[in-house]
Each structure stands twice: as structure tokens, then as C-alpha cells.
Amino acid sequence: MNFELTEDQKMIRDMVRDFAKKYVEPGILDRDASMEFPHDLVAQLADQGLMGMVYPEEYGGAGVDTISFALAIEELARYDGSLALTVASHTSLCTGHIAQFGSKELKDKYMPDLVSATKLGGWGLTEAGSGSDASGMKTTAVLDGDHWIINGGKLFITQGSVGKTFVILAVTDRSLGNKGISAFVLESDMPGFSVGEKMDKLGMRSSDTRELVFENVKVPKENLVGELNHGFIDTMKVLEGGRIGIGALAVGLARGALEDSITHAKERVQFGKPISKLQAIQFKIAEMATDLEGARLLVHQAAYLKDQGKSFGVEASTAKYHASEVGMKICSDGIQILGGYGYMEEYHVERYYRDMKLCEIGEGTSEVQKMVIAKSMLK
């Protein structure tokens, strides 16, 4: 792996960095408090081509590599984890599922609007009684002539009320367990499709999270994504790519905590000198910087393998697990360095901490990642 970024990768990183500093940083505290979805910022990101950057030009994308995508997510998360989550989930999950496993007809129908973010995408796997264990899934799809009839619901769905296009997992053959699950494209205006109330969350507060309910939703037969009863297997592949995005998001949040901690340490005077002169603070910063760099390298390694067309599933799990776990520690240490200020909302570090917790849960919990890693090691 070449550790030096290409000129194109640097250009994308710097462009997103400038955008984030100019447009994302202002108003972040208000967005966190109000939980309002930032439609204007998402539209601006779409205008910049950042909502579908990894997809081919034939669908309106830029065809950039996964490392560039990871860099963009990191730069957005440096200031706003919620916005970075919107971009990562829209790109990797709904759009990614259709791009990887959809028929040509489905791609031609849905990809242009998703890549341009004319329509935002959502992805429905989790339910009230099933998350890591998909065998507990209750949502069903029954074939009736030329349509599938879908009943059930999904919980904690990102872009739940702002999304227009959704990939939903449903049981099509209960007797087959996980091998009897299929994926379908649903549109939010289909009769019987409804959305629950906004969820009040610990972090990622301006990311839209809702419950979805399906009551006899008629879905055209051709909206099956991939092979019948192959949805769960395909989902595991979709999540592998999504873990790179969550890893990059964790790196961005941790970087924010580190940079804000360094700024504070240089300015805060105690015992007659800046606390950056105290060895206890210096050691914390050294540990934070080392953990951050290791996390970033793991994320870029997984992205590099994906770009090379090589197996990257274990590496993506390793990157996501490590970045989210050390990210929590970095944010916690950042609060400690800021002391009482770190506990206050206006100093941002507590928000990074709250947002980071999602990175240990989304796209598979840390425990699930350890299962994936251990299984590979013990083969």
C-alpha cells in the first residue's frame, strides 16, 4: 500500500475540508440542539457531487475511489458527525445495495436520483426484536401475482422521514432462517408505507432517525434486489463497505476531539503556564494522536483493498472496531483535558463523545466486529 495520497485524493480532501470549515462548522450547535435535518447542507453537498461520488459517471457519479470517500467522510465528521452519517449511510447502504446487487433495470430506475441526492435513500434491516440477530426478523414479503405484499416494520432507520427510496429486508421463506430473507426497493409514497415520530437520541441528533411501518405495501415484483432469499448474504457484503464509512466517521470525530484538546491545552493556563507544558497532558495528547493515526491507517487499508478488488471484510471490521473503540477513548480524554469546559456543550468535545457512541453500534456492534475478526483468525 502506498501511504502517500494521490493528487486527486488530496484535492477531494482539501475541497471537503474547506467546505466543512466554511459551511458545516457554523450552526452545528443549533442543529444538535434542534435536531433539525440540514436539508440545505445536504443540497450543497449534492451540488458538489459528494452524495454519490463513488458511483460511475453513467449514473451521475464521479467514480472516485474508496479512499477519497473515506477522506470526505472524515472531513465532514471533524465538525458534524450527523452530516457525515447522512452521507455515509446514503452512499454505502441504500445506494450501495442497489449498485451491488440490483438488476440493470433497478439501477437505471433508482441510481440517478440517489447518486444526485434528488432522492435520499434509507436502508431497513433492524427491527424492535432483531438487530445483530437477523433470524428474529418479523417483516414479511409474500408474492401475490405481480406484486410482493410487505408487512412489518423497521426501527432506528437513518433518513427515515427524509428518504424517498428504501431498500428493505423481509422474510420470504421462514423455514430457511437467514437464508430465507430477501431485499426489496420501496418508495416512501407507496400506500401502506408510514413513518413514526422523530427519535430523541443521545448523539447524531440532526441525523434523521425514525421507525418505518409497512401495512400491506404492494411492491412490484421487479423491485426484488438480487436473488430471491439471498438478501441476508448480500446484506453482509453491503455492511462491509458501510463499515469503512463508519470507521472514517469515527476518525473524523476523534480528530475533532484531539485538535480541540490541543488548542485548549495551549491556551489554558494553570500553575503559571499553559497546561500543554504539563507532562500529564502531553502524554494524553501523545496517546490520542497515536491511536488516531492507527485508526486512520486501518480505515485506509480497508478502503485500499476494496479499491483493488480484493477481499476486505475482515479489514473493514478491524478498522471499524478499532476506530470506534479508540475514538471513544480519545473523546473521553479530550473532555478530561478540557476539564469543566469539556462538559459544556459550547466546547464541542462532549458532542463528539455523544456522536462517537453510535460508531460502536451502527453497521454492526463492536461485539459483532470481534466475532468477524475472531472467526477469521481461528479458521
Side-chain angles (χ1 to χ4, degrees):
M1 177 179 174
N2 184 354
F3 291 94
E4 180 67 25
L5 297 178
T6 67
E7 291 305 311
D8 285 345
Q9 289 166 347
K10 292 177 183 176
M11 181 182 67
I12 291 171
R13 179 200 63 191
D14 293 346
M15 182 266 285
V16 180
R17 181 174 294 177
D18 291 344
F19 177 90
K21 182 67 178 175
K22 185 175 181 179
Y23 297 107
V24 177
E25 183 182 22
I28 177 57
L29 292 178
D30 290 338
R31 295 195 297 275
D32 182 66
S34 69
M35 299 192 300
E36 289 299 317
F37 185 80
H39 290 280
D40 55 339
L41 284 176
V42 172
Q44 287 177 276
L45 289 171
D47 289 341
Q48 297 288 328
L50 296 173
M51 295 299 292
M53 65 173 78
V54 298
Y55 296 109
E57 293 181 7
E58 64 179 297
Y59 297 120
V64 305
D65 60 11
T66 312
I67 292 178
S68 296
F69 172 69
L71 291 166
I73 295 298
E74 176 185 334
E75 294 302 329
L76 293 173
R78 162 60 183 91
Y79 294 106
D80 188 346
S82 294
L83 185 62
L85 180 62
T86 298
V87 178
S89 62
H90 170 82
T91 303
S92 299
L93 299 180
C94 176
T95 313
H97 202 137
I98 295 172
Q100 289 184 71
F101 302 108
S103 64
K104 185 180 186 304
E105 290 74 19
L106 280 179
K107 292 178 186 177
D108 289 345
K109 180 177 181 180
Y110 290 107
M111 288 286 289
D113 282 345
L114 288 168
V115 170
S116 66
T118 303
K119 294 182 179 179
L120 291 178
W123 193 73
L125 172 64
T126 303
E127 299 182 2
S130 67
S132 299
D133 177 17
S135 64
M137 187 178 296
K138 301 298 183 185
T139 299
T140 60
V142 177
L143 187 61
D144 182 14
D146 292 332
H147 289 81
W148 291 94
I149 309 300
I150 297 183
N151 283 283
K154 299 293 177 180
L155 194 61
F156 309 137
I157 305 306
T158 309
Q159 278 86 257
S161 72
V162 298
K164 301 298 182 185
T165 303
F166 293 82
V167 173
I168 300 298
L169 281 297
V171 176
T172 41
D173 190 335
R174 182 72 65 187
S175 68
L176 297 177
N178 286 347
K179 295 181 180 179
I181 293 172
S182 303
F184 303 88
V185 179
L186 275 65
E187 298 172 25
S188 61
D189 59 358
M190 287 177 169
F193 187 117
S194 60
V195 178
E197 294 298 314
K198 181 185 296 185
M199 292 182 167
D200 192 352
K201 309 187 297 291
L202 172 73
M204 301 291 188
R205 289 172 58 81
S206 63
S207 167
D208 183 56
T209 308
R210 306 283 182 127
E211 180 182 9
L212 306 180
V213 178
F214 317 118
E215 296 180 300
N216 293 318
V217 180
K218 291 181 64 176
V219 179
K221 188 177 180 180
E222 56 269 23
N223 277 29
L224 173 70
V225 186
E227 298 178 24
L228 181 65
N229 297 327
H230 215 265
F232 182 76
I233 297 170
D234 294 346
T235 288
M236 295 301 100
K237 296 294 183 183
V238 172
L239 285 171
E240 287 178 356
R243 286 164 185 160
I244 295 175
I246 296 297
L249 201 163
V251 168
L253 290 169
R255 194 182 108 211
L258 174 60
E259 291 178 354
D260 286 4
S261 297
I262 291 171
T263 298
H264 179 83
K266 289 179 176 179
E267 296 174 349
R268 175 69 166 164
V269 175
Q270 292 285 274
F271 310 107
K273 57 186 175 182
I275 63 172
S276 61
K277 300 293 185 180
L278 302 175
Q279 190 179 71
I281 301 299
Q282 292 175 353
F283 279 11
K284 276 192 183 295
I285 289 173
E287 292 169 3
M288 293 161 74
T290 302
D291 285 343
L292 175 62
E293 190 63 22
R296 182 184 289 114
L297 288 172
L298 286 172
V299 170
H300 287 190
Q301 178 193 31
Y304 171 81
L305 291 172
K306 185 175 188 291
D307 288 334
Q308 297 300 309
K310 297 179 180 179
S311 175
F312 67 94
V314 175
E315 290 79 6
S317 285
T318 303
K320 190 265 187 189
Y321 166 64
H322 183 72
S324 61
E325 292 286 324
V326 301
M328 283 299 298
K329 183 178 184 301
I330 290 169
C331 291
S332 179
D333 284 347
I335 292 173
Q336 197 71 14
I337 289 172
L338 269 71
Y341 295 103
Y343 208 66
M344 301 297 112
E345 290 183 356
E346 65 182 289
Y347 285 86
H348 300 287
V349 181
E350 63 85 32
R351 176 172 52 81
Y352 302 142
Y353 184 88
R354 289 188 285 107
D355 286 353
M356 184 69 78
K357 190 61 191 175
L358 184 277
C359 297
E360 293 185 313
I361 299 171
E363 260 82 329
T365 63
S366 291
E367 290 70 27
V368 166
Q369 307 315 314
K370 287 190 279 189
M371 289 167 59
V372 172
I373 297 163
K375 183 178 179 181
S376 173
M377 294 297 101
L378 296 172
K379 272 185 179 179

